[in-house]
């Protein structure tokens, strides 16, 4: 039985890019390291871990995963911190309404991370959003 996502793995291609990526996720976004080894770390995101490796050269290509989204509060403040750190915000904070059943009102923003990864910050304002605060 699937119970959720354990981790998302990302690969850096040099010690400098690894350092920059580690700094982005831990210092700028404020996530905590839960495991660390010579060539990698795992970072706590609240409901899964983010694994960042620098163990051997890797080829970065846009794959099947378009982006990943963090459950987030204070989207505007977070976006400002990201921009001040020199990262591109390519979708500014905005309110949206997802026309699903039931509808989902949300506030979102997108940025590029240090590896070129697309990251969405998602504040769910729907009636069942409280379940996310318990993760």
């Amino acid at each position: 039985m699937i119970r959720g996502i354990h981790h998302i793995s990302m690969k850096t291609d040099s010690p400098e890019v690894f350092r920059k990526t580690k700094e982005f996720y831990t210092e700028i976004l404020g996530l905590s390291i839960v495991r660390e080894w010579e060539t990698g770390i795992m970072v706590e995101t609240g409901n899964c871990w983010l694994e960042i490796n620098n163990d051997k050269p890797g080829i970065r290509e846009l794959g099947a995963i378009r982006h990943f989204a963090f459950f987030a509060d204070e989207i505007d403040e977070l976006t400002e911190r990201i921009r001040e750190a020199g990262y591109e915000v390519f979708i500014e904070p905005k309110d949206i309404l997802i026309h699903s059943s039931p509808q989902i009102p949300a506030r979102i923003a997108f940025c590029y991370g240090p590896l070129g990864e697309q990251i969405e910050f998602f504040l769910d304002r729907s009636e069942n959003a409280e379940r996310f605060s318990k993760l």
Side-chain angles (χ1 to χ4, degrees):
M1 172 173 81
I2 305 257
R3 294 180 296 176
I5 295 174
H6 181 270
H7 71 273
I8 299 166
S9 179
M10 298 191 311
K11 178 156 252 342
T12 63
D13 57 4
S14 72
E16 177 58 25
V17 173
F18 176 78
R19 184 201 59 73
K20 186 176 180 181
T21 304
K22 180 179 178 181
E23 177 185 279
F24 178 81
Y25 285 99
T26 61
E27 295 176 25
I28 296 168
L29 298 186
L31 301 176
S32 299
I33 295 173
V34 292
R35 293 214 166 91
E36 190 163 11
W37 57 97
E38 185 179 337
T39 60
I41 59 173
M42 281 198 168
V43 179
E44 175 63 54
T45 69
N47 62 343
C48 81
W49 292 347
L50 187 61
E51 177 185 54
I52 304 165
N53 284 298
N54 189 42
D55 56 352
K56 51 184 101 134
I59 299 171
R60 287 189 273 156
E61 296 176 356
L62 184 59
I65 297 173
R66 184 172 174 184
H67 69 269
F68 60 88
F70 286 118
F71 299 119
D73 296 317
E74 303 179 22
I75 304 288
D76 297 74
E77 178 184 309
L78 183 57
T79 302
E80 234 3 81
R81 282 201 338 248
I82 292 164
R83 188 185 337 277
E84 287 171 6
Y87 292 92
E88 180 183 352
V89 174
F90 67 92
I91 295 180
E92 294 293 329
K94 66 179 182 176
D95 293 319
I96 63 166
L97 180 62
I98 298 172
H99 297 285
S100 57
S101 181
Q103 293 184 339
I104 303 171
R107 185 151 185 85
I108 65 166
F110 283 80
C111 75
Y112 290 110
L115 301 175
E117 70 276 26
Q118 293 184 13
I119 305 165
E120 179 180 10
F121 302 98
F122 193 95
L123 174 59
D124 186 326
R125 294 180 170 155
S126 67
E127 290 179 13
N128 66 349
E130 72 277 354
R131 80 180 190 99
F132 297 124
S133 65
K134 297 175 186 168
L135 296 175

